[in-house]
Amino acid sequence: MQEPIQESQREPVSFTQPLHQTAKRYSDAYAKVIARQNRKREQHEAVWRQWRTFNE
């Protein structure tokens, strides 16, 4: 379980920050999404490769 976030630990809302900071935070988050999708796809392909050769 996570501890409650203190007021001093919260990031300011995005519309109060310069646009380049918000854009960088968005691009970093999106890069993590793409990496997670790629890992999932690679794991899926590995399972299918294993199943294809299972009965040979």
Side-chain angles (χ1 to χ4, degrees):
M1 188 160 62
Q2 295 179 352
E3 295 181 16
I5 297 174
Q6 301 294 326
E7 287 294 324
S8 62
Q9 293 176 336
R10 290 188 183 169
E11 291 185 22
V13 290
S14 62
F15 60 84
T16 64
Q17 295 182 355
L19 186 58
H20 67 87
Q21 288 180 352
T22 304
K24 178 163 177 22
R25 190 170 20 174
Y26 176 83
S27 65
D28 291 344
Y30 192 65
K32 289 179 183 178
V33 168
I34 297 297
R36 190 168 49 246
Q37 289 173 345
N38 287 339
R39 279 194 309 273
K40 185 169 64 171
R41 185 178 306 114
E42 290 169 2
Q43 291 172 349
H44 185 99
E45 289 173 358
V47 168
W48 274 100
R49 275 194 305 275
Q50 185 180 15
W51 286 352
R52 252 186 258 134
T53 61
F54 181 73
N55 288 327
E56 292 179 355

